[in-house]
Amino acid sequence: MAIILRLDRIMADRKISLTELSERVGISMANLSNLKTGKVRAIRFSTLDAICRELHCQPGDVLEYDET
């Protein structure tokens, strides 16, 4: 897939744990872990909105397009 999730990088930059982000965003740790590792095929805008709000970032910081 050409879309790459960079949630792990953003979380590391912000020094926030999976547990803490899960509690703040209201997403189960299992679902957030799947997002972090890129094992998902879709993401809801409401989820992306909540993640960006908590991490103080833009959707383009979390999602990256790779043409190769």
Side-chain angles (χ1 to χ4, degrees), residues 55-68:
L55 296 178
H56 305 288
C57 65
Q58 295 294 313
D61 298 329
V62 178
L63 303 171
E64 184 177 311
Y65 178 73
D66 184 9
E67 291 184 33
T68 58

Side-chain angles (χ1 to χ4, degrees), residues 3-4 9 12 17 28 30 32-33 39 41 44 52 55 60-61:
I3 303 294
I4 301 166
R9 183 182 63 194
S17 70
S28 72
L32 195 56
S33 178
K39 295 179 182 176
R41 297 186 53 80
R44 291 183 176 163
C52 289
L55 296 178
D61 298 329

Side-chain angles (χ1 to χ4, degrees), residues 1 3 5 30-44 63:
M1 180 179 272
I3 303 294
L5 286 164
N31 286 337
L32 195 56
S33 178
N34 286 337
L35 281 171
K36 184 179 172 188
T37 58
K39 295 179 182 176
V40 295
R41 297 186 53 80
I43 183 171
R44 291 183 176 163
L63 303 171

Side-chain angles (χ1 to χ4, degrees), residues 3-16:
I3 303 294
I4 301 166
L5 286 164
R6 297 294 186 195
L7 184 58
D8 55 343
R9 183 182 63 194
I10 302 288
M11 289 175 63
D13 289 347
R14 305 294 194 277
K15 296 180 175 68
I16 188 169

